[in-house]
Amino acid sequence: MKKGIIIFACVALLMSSCASEFNAVYKYGDNEMRYEYAKECFARGKFEKAVTLLSDVVTMKKGSDEAQECLYMLGMAQYCNADYEAASETFKKYGSSYPRGIYAEPAAFYVGQSLYQSAPEPRLDQSPTNGAITAYQQFIDLYPDSKLRPQAQDRLYELHEKLILKELSSAELYYNLGGYFGNINSNEESNYTASIITAQNALKNYPFCNEREKFMMLIVKSKFQLAENSSDEKRLERYRDAEDECYGFINEFPESKNVETVEKYIAKCKKVIKD
């Protein structure tokens, strides 16, 4: 019991000592002392403290021999501290300030990495995802022979998949809403039409994506539902369009589990069109 108390007291004393040392350096140390202590904090994994010190020192170091290292280390400390938005801005600043600097290549890579880490799940706004894609592509263009290129390419593929899933989710949502607002016959802006346009745009942007069959099936179903709920004026035109889409689906995916459903659509279309 006494041994445990002694160990606890030693740990508490050490933590107190470390806190006191940091406060002393932060409040009373000159820039050189702060910078050296910031590097020590970074090496020991005390990234929050490193960020606090480097944020003050980085301006004072501008123009010095240590300016590049200081700015890059600030970005890495922010990244390791999971402040990805701040890290991306710091790495961008490094790239614009030192385009041929000694840390220019990893800084360019970590712009993408920072935005990648902050990219949300597919159903949410994908602005960080698009930003990460742009950053990784710029990195690959600037450093085609970099050892980090394979990782950047993997990230690009993953981020594109996230955008594809976002589009698929939107297309499915429009389809599931269907004629909820009762506008199928009144104009061309129905939910089924929105599902078709969303799916078609996704296929145009990502023609070889893994979700191609799902997008095409959504187009088939949406066009068939438009025909089913159509006014007399548009009825034949929409059934012909749906039938053409069905044949296109079967030609591309003859082994699909959806073929039976698509063939039923074709039979209904033929029955209405009678040609």
Side-chain angles (χ1 to χ4, degrees):
M1 182 69 178
K2 289 183 179 180
K3 184 178 179 181
I5 294 173
I6 292 173
I7 293 174
F8 177 80
C10 290
V11 171
L13 180 63
L14 180 61
M15 292 178 65
S16 175
S17 175
C18 290
S20 298
E21 184 180 26
F22 172 81
N23 289 332
V25 172
Y26 181 70
K27 291 180 180 179
Y28 307 113
D30 58 20
N31 287 324
E32 193 59 38
M33 184 182 296
R34 289 182 180 184
Y35 184 53
E36 291 302 318
Y37 194 71
K39 289 195 288 185
E40 183 181 336
C41 288
F42 185 90
R44 293 165 55 193
K46 307 293 183 181
F47 301 116
E48 186 173 358
K49 290 181 178 179
V51 168
T52 301
L53 292 167
L54 291 169
S55 296
D56 289 342
V57 174
V58 69
T59 302
M60 304 305 298
K61 287 290 183 181
K62 192 173 182 180
S64 71
D65 293 339
E66 298 168 322
Q68 290 192 48
E69 181 186 57
C70 186
L71 184 58
Y72 179 72
M73 191 185 305
L74 173 60
M76 289 304 303
Q78 290 166 332
Y79 180 85
C80 293
N81 198 44
D83 189 354
Y84 300 119
E85 183 177 354
S88 67
E89 292 303 316
T90 300
F91 289 126
K92 287 177 186 177
K93 183 178 180 180
Y94 183 97
S96 61
S97 301
Y98 311 103
R100 296 185 179 181
I102 56 177
Y103 302 106
E105 182 180 326
F109 176 77
Y110 273 99
V111 173
Q113 282 289 93
S114 300
L115 292 169
Y116 168 83
Q117 293 291 352
S118 60
E121 58 181 287
R123 66 184 181 85
L124 301 176
D125 177 61
Q126 294 299 307
S127 296
T129 302
N130 287 311
I133 288 173
T134 299
Y136 280 129
Q137 191 59 61
Q138 289 176 344
F139 169 78
I140 290 172
D141 292 341
L142 284 171
Y143 306 101
D145 299 321
S146 172
K147 293 180 180 180
L148 295 169
R149 178 182 176 132
Q151 189 174 349
Q153 289 176 320
D154 288 343
R155 295 297 196 208
L156 274 175
Y157 177 81
E158 184 179 339
L159 291 167
H160 278 125
E161 283 297 308
K162 183 173 288 191
L163 292 182
I164 290 167
L165 291 177
K166 170 71 171 178
E167 293 304 300
L168 181 60
S169 177
S170 296
E172 288 174 336
L173 176 61
Y174 285 128
Y175 177 80
N176 291 332
L177 286 172
Y180 180 74
F181 296 109
N183 60 358
I184 294 177
N185 299 322
S186 59
N187 56 59
E188 294 298 325
E189 300 301 322
S190 73
N191 292 311
Y192 291 127
T193 304
S195 179
I196 293 166
I197 293 172
T198 301
Q200 287 175 334
N201 286 338
L203 290 174
K204 180 179 179 180
N205 293 328
Y206 311 103
F208 306 109
C209 68
N210 293 330
E211 308 299 336
R212 182 174 178 83
E213 181 180 343
K214 292 181 181 179
F215 281 119
M216 289 189 66
M217 190 61 192
L218 276 171
I219 295 171
V220 167
K221 293 194 297 183
S222 295
K223 287 191 174 184
F224 182 77
Q225 289 300 326
L226 276 177
E228 287 280 273
N229 293 277
S230 183
S231 63
D232 291 339
E233 178 186 357
K234 298 177 181 179
R235 185 176 176 84
L236 288 178
E237 175 191 346
R238 285 180 170 175
Y239 271 112
R240 288 192 180 101
D241 190 23
E243 184 180 20
D244 289 342
E245 199 69 46
C246 287
Y247 281 121
F249 180 90
I250 292 176
N251 286 336
E252 185 162 348
F253 302 103
E255 305 299 325
S256 171
K257 64 180 182 180
N258 293 305
V259 166
E260 185 177 349
T261 299
V262 175
E263 287 176 339
K264 289 179 180 178
Y265 289 164
I266 291 173
K268 179 62 182 292
C269 290
K270 286 186 177 297
K271 183 177 180 180
V272 173
I273 297 169
K274 296 178 182 179
D275 59 7

